[in-house]
Amino acid sequence: MRPVDAVITKFVDETPSTRTIFFDTFFEQVPGQFVMVWVRGVDEIPMALSYENAITVHKAGEATSALFELDECDSIGIRGPFGNGFGISGKNILLISGGVGAAPLAPLAERAASSGISVTTMLGAIKKDELLFGKRFETAGKVLIATDDGSEGRKGYVTDLLDDNDVDADRFDSIYCCGPEPMMKKVLDSSIIPEKVQFSLHRYFKCGIGVCGACCIDGLRVCKDGPVFRGDVLKDTEFGKFKRDGCGCKVKV
Amino acid sequence: MRPVDAVITKFVDETPSTRTIFFDTFFEQVPGQFVMVWVRGVDEIPMALSYENAITVHKAGEATSALFELDECDSIGIRGPFGNGFGISGKNILLISGGVGAAPLAPLAERAASSGISVTTMLGAIKKDELLFGKRFETAGKVLIATDDGSEGRKGYVTDLLDDNDVDADRFDSIYCCGPEPMMKKVLDSSIIPEKVQFSLHRYFKCGIGVCGACCIDGLRVCKDGPVFRGDVLKDTEFGKFKRDGCGCKVKV
Amino acid sequence: MLTTKISGLELKNPLMLAAGIMGTTGGSLKRMARCGAGAVITKSIGIEPKPGHPNPTMVKLRCGYLNAMGLPNPSYKLFQPEIDEAKHAGVPVIASIFGVDASEFSVIAGAINADAFELNVSCPHAEGYGAEIGTDPALVEGITKAVKNATDAPVWVKLTPNVADITETGLAAQKGGADAVVAINTLRGMAIDIESGHPILGNRFGGLSGHGIKPVAVKCVHDLYSALDIPVIGCGGISGWEDVVEFIMAGARAVQIGSAVGDNINIFSDISSCLEAFLSLKLWTLDDIYGMVHEI
Amino acid sequence: MLTTKISGLELKNPLMLAAGIMGTTGGSLKRMARCGAGAVITKSIGIEPKPGHPNPTMVKLRCGYLNAMGLPNPSYKLFQPEIDEAKHAGVPVIASIFGVDASEFSVIAGAINADAFELNVSCPHAEGYGAEIGTDPALVEGITKAVKNATDAPVWVKLTPNVADITETGLAAQKGGADAVVAINTLRGMAIDIESGHPILGNRFGGLSGHGIKPVAVKCVHDLYSALDIPVIGCGGISGWEDVVEFIMAGARAVQIGSAVGDNINIFSDISSCLEAFLSLKLWTLDDIYGMVHEI
Ligand SMILES: Cc1cc2nc3c(=O)[nH]c(=O)nc-3n(C[C@H](O)[C@H](O)[C@H](O)COP(=O)(O)OP(=O)(O)OC[C@H]3O[C@@H](n4cnc5c(N)ncnc54)[C@H](O)[C@@H]3O)c2cc1C
Ligand SMILES: Cc1cc2nc3c(=O)[nH]c(=O)nc-3n(C[C@H](O)[C@H](O)[C@H](O)COP(=O)(O)OP(=O)(O)OC[C@H]3O[C@@H](n4cnc5c(N)ncnc54)[C@H](O)[C@@H]3O)c2cc1C
Ligand SMILES: Cc1cc2nc3c(=O)[nH]c(=O)nc-3n(C[C@H](O)[C@H](O)[C@H](O)COP(=O)(O)O)c2cc1C
Ligand SMILES: Cc1cc2nc3c(=O)[nH]c(=O)nc-3n(C[C@H](O)[C@H](O)[C@H](O)COP(=O)(O)O)c2cc1C
Ligand code: FES
Ligand code: FES
């Protein structure tokens, strides 16, 4: 498919480093799928849909910075949604979110809550004002917070909350996790049964449609077979250890 | 579409010059549509489907002769059905058939009769044993016969039957006509209201799918806009006067 | 709003009927003009009547069409009445012509009366004619020059994409005095019947047209626009108004539509109205989008 | 029943993974081999690490795909471990390599250990590499010769269809000592975003692959089979078993599958079983249909 022209209707600054960009086009998605966002003349990058008509961008480099410089009525090109989203199952689910990992998890929380599923979210960020979509997760269910500097909630990584007595991971039917890879690796290596956890992965995407192989983890295409994978599939793979740069060179995560 | 491989299952010699070739593949059609019949290595020619799984071939030249030389289990390539078939309407219909023009009209007669329409057929041929599908038309309704040499029925052209008192063309809701072009021209030029008559035309087909224009009558594509046309559409055209040969040169009908 | 001028011809819209489609008779050309074409090109006309290749001459594939008609035509000696009849529809009628060498081309152009000539040096499946000439810049230049001397009408040269670099033959046409180039003719292609091993076309191989070749055609137009001073007419795989916009943005002054006429005889008026609506919505004119991709 | 031998390599079936698809990592090559490929070709490997072109690098069109990856690769210095890992799947691993001249090609071929080399002289969108070399028969011959001197492994040359006559470069490869040719790489193409006038690919233009180019590829294979003595490997637009039959009938000893892997990762095993069933039904062997169209 060619990029769909999506005209920007509104910006919402969510945190000092993340901004939600709303557009005039709605995309039906399974939360966890992604779209390719084309900033014309700059680059095209993968993004979760944080709403059916919005992406939430964390400023990371050239393309994401260019997204911050757009104005209302400017347009971006959107292809997708692509890939496999989260499979929602169980009556009682846990979300583990780190940083901008909240972008695909917030619509998941809302969809699950609206079908009567009990949703608990462990929400982490580097500091209080970087906590993303706190309100949306609260509306959907219970929220536990961790910040690296302790400015809100538990001080430390969001995964540390698992060690607390607050959360008994075993009592959840399904667990959904998105955030920085080292954080997700901690979850995979924890005592939680890996079959129970669905991880939404990030890799360097080129084609985004399962052809080129740039995004592979041990042969699994993150763009097409993922980006959501069950933990057992990721065990004993490069996940959490190595990734590939734009040239395909192995680099440490 | 690519040619479908149709394996020949049976031959029926209908008359000294026509043979029905049955194959193992069924094509759903509106009677009056045509298929392109590919005799590999020889030529591809347009043919009516005389049954859902058969064509009835009159030996005319190279390709039709090649069709007569095939054996059971040989195969031909079939593309189609293409074009617009007869529109069946009314309670009381008249078919006017000349020679191998019976090929598209016989399935029409059967389909009409089976939906309770009263079918009368004027069936013509050069002589008695060249009368095609007499039985099929009789099963469907009343049949009036004419032969050029008078060996059966009225002596003369099938159109002469219109002058008889036997047939009052005006009392039919719709009239369907297929045969040699001069015969069809007579029907068009008769006193019958042209809006009432549907003619199935023959022209030299190349592409068969409405692109090349080889089959045009005053801009009408016989292969795509036809091969069935209402009489009023054909009034004051080249129909019955000129046709085009393989080079596109005008030749007298 | 869609009016365009190309090599002196005024067109009510930039959409022309491509050569070889509905182009053998005055009646069919007239019909296409009445169906909304801004101009019509005839079937390619040669020196002698030619029946072309045996059937199958055309097959629809999953992406596009393959054809090898073999340039059937009644010859230039018989063709003038068809052009004259086509003229009654009130749009320019362009004669597509072919030959084995410059002298055949000039004889035909000298004898025929048409609003412009399109030189078919690009048919991929007619031995001795067509692409065998059209891949050689020197021949293209020579033939163009000869035809320019034989007629006062504008001369367009239709190019083949079956070359390493289409700007070489485009520049040769320009050097020969062409008023415009047309890109592209069909891509060489072949289809085989797997039930029998027979090539499907009577001529064994043929030319690929239709939607699948559009990206190739757009790239050719893009390159020719950069390299040439004369206008480029785009052709290849157009089946909707979006395709026309893409060609014009790539650098086409006008476009031609061929295969897609088969499934939609009203394609010219359909595209015209959608194109107008698109331009209005965008507050653009045809001139605004002409060659737009080169400014970016 | 599907076993084939090509330039000394034994294949369990004639279906190979094409270069540039799932070919950057040992893991992905291994997966494709386990999914049923008879052999796998690596991403094209060059002298230095290369990130390739900016995104968008690939877009799916109505007929086929357009891509301009820009030959991203980690360089031959880092690539041997990926090949070694891929070898664990038990099928031949062919290294696709590219360079600016004969000496770059030979350096890489001399340093890499693989079951065969495929010389990519045909990428249509990598400046200085690829098709700029591959349209010049003298360069093709020279590079082939140099690589043959640098390695004992079989050498295949992958040809571009963006030429007037592909048999000229095919013959050049043969003269240079190639053990087989592969036809075809992508067709030059372009797509434009009509909302903005921007070319859709980051590199502006790219290469067309997928179903739409199959008739072009089949014709190239047909012509090469007629002209050359060395075997031809077909590639371009294969998405089903019927396509494979068509290529083999045209004269391909084996085939490669690229774009279609995206939508069907199991395409190799799917095609293998259908191909076997077809051959059984027809009482044919692969040898029976090999080049069949030429006997008709
Ligand atoms: C499935 C998926 C969903 C994502 N969802 C979001 C989201 O909702 N919000 C958000 O802010 N970010 C999201 N990202 C990450 C986002 O794609 C990168 O932050 C972005 O590509 C950075 O581009 P840049 O030019 O700004 O940074 P650069 O300066 O180019 O690089 C910064 C880092 O971003 C990564 N990156 C660069 N280009 C790509 C690419 N083409 N594909 C993947 N990673 C790349 C690289 O690892 C690099 O280290 C997602 C990534 C994936 C794979
Ligand atoms: C819509 C349609 C339906 C037809 N249905 C039947 C049918 O059911 N039974 C039947 O016997 N015949 C039918 N015909 C006529 C049949 O197509 C011709 O008799 C046949 O093409 C003759 O081919 P040939 O090679 O045997 O003869 P040739 O020696 O090639 O020519 C004999 C005559 O057949 C005509 N002809 C040749 N090639 C073509 C062609 N490609 N397209 C059209 N006409 C051609 C020419 O006018 C020529 O004068 C139909 C024709 C059309 C257009
Ligand atoms: C059936 C058919 C006949 C054609 N005949 C001619 C011809 O006589 N002269 C010519 O220059 N091009 C001829 N062409 C090429 C078309 O004019 C056009 O260049 C090509 O089909 C690409 O456009 P399209 O994709 O819109 O069909 C023919 C194409 C087709 C499909
Ligand atoms: C994303 C992508 C990357 C490619 N990279 C290479 C490459 O590195 N080297 C090469 O020789 N061919 C490359 N090709 C060309 C393919 O190997 C193949 O020749 C072409 O895509 C036609 O086959 P297909 O239609 O089956 O895809 C690439 C094709 C695609 C789609
Ligand atoms: S980015 Fe190309 S396969 Fe995933
Ligand atoms: S035969 Fe080509 S349009 Fe009818």
Side-chain angles (χ1 to χ4, degrees), chain A residues 32 84-89 173-178 184-185 187-189 192-201 217 220-222 224-239:
Chain A
N84 297 306
F86 294 111
I88 311 186
S89 66
D173 303 317
S174 303
I175 298 171
Y176 303 87
C177 179
C178 187
M184 294 197 280
K185 182 70 158 75
V187 175
L188 183 65
D189 292 344
I192 303 173
I193 311 166
E195 281 82 351
K196 256 197 187 174
V197 197
Q198 296 177 34
F199 295 92
S200 179
L201 269 49
I217 293 184
L220 291 172
R221 298 165 299 176
V222 173
K224 180 92 182 181
D225 304 308
V228 173
F229 293 98
R230 248 175 35 194
D232 50 327
V233 175
L234 300 173
K235 279 276 182 193
D236 306 315
T237 67
E238 291 180 345
F239 174 70

Side-chain angles (χ1 to χ4, degrees), chain D residues 94-139:
Chain D
I94 292 96
S96 170
I97 65 175
F98 74 94
V100 287
D101 55 22
S103 93
E104 277 196 18
F105 273 95
S106 331
V107 167
I108 302 169
I112 289 259
N113 183 4
D115 293 309
F117 288 94
E118 181 177 285
L119 313 188
N120 177 3
V121 292
S122 44
C123 178
H125 50 78
E127 212 148 309
Y129 307 101
E132 283 154 44
I133 296 174
T135 54
D136 182 338
L139 288 177

Side-chain angles (χ1 to χ4, degrees), chain C residues 18-37:
Chain C
I21 284 82
M22 295 292 282
T24 312
T25 74
S28 56
L29 288 162
K30 217 161 57 181
R31 179 179 187 196
M32 296 319 300
R34 292 195 174 139
C35 281

Side-chain angles (χ1 to χ4, degrees), chain A residues 1 40 206 219 225 244 247, chain D residues 31 51 60 73-74 82 193:
Chain A
M1 68 180 303
R40 294 184 181 96
K206 288 177 183 284
D225 304 308
R244 304 279 171 167
C247 305
Chain D
R31 181 179 184 195
K60 186 176 190 166
N73 80 93
E82 311 287 351
D193 174 45

Side-chain angles (χ1 to χ4, degrees), chain B residues 152-226:
Chain B
E152 183 158 340
R154 192 193 204 285
K155 181 172 157 64
Y157 296 126
V158 66
T159 45
D160 296 343
L161 290 166
L162 289 170
D163 308 332
D164 287 2
N165 294 336
D166 304 14
V167 200
D168 175 11
D170 290 343
R171 75 175 178 84
F172 292 100
D173 303 318
S174 304
I175 299 172
Y176 302 87
C177 179
C178 187
E181 193 154 323
M183 170 276 229
M184 295 197 282
K185 182 69 159 70
K186 281 210 176 102
V187 175
L188 183 66
D189 291 344
S190 74
S191 60
I192 302 172
I193 311 166
E195 281 82 352
K196 255 196 185 173
V197 197
Q198 295 177 36
F199 295 92
S200 179
L201 269 50
H202 291 184
R203 273 295 178 275
Y204 196 96
F205 284 6
K206 286 178 183 282
C207 75
I209 52 175
V211 177
C212 73
C215 62
C216 281
I217 294 184
D218 290 63
L220 292 172
R221 299 165 299 176
V222 173
C223 72
K224 181 88 182 184
D225 303 308

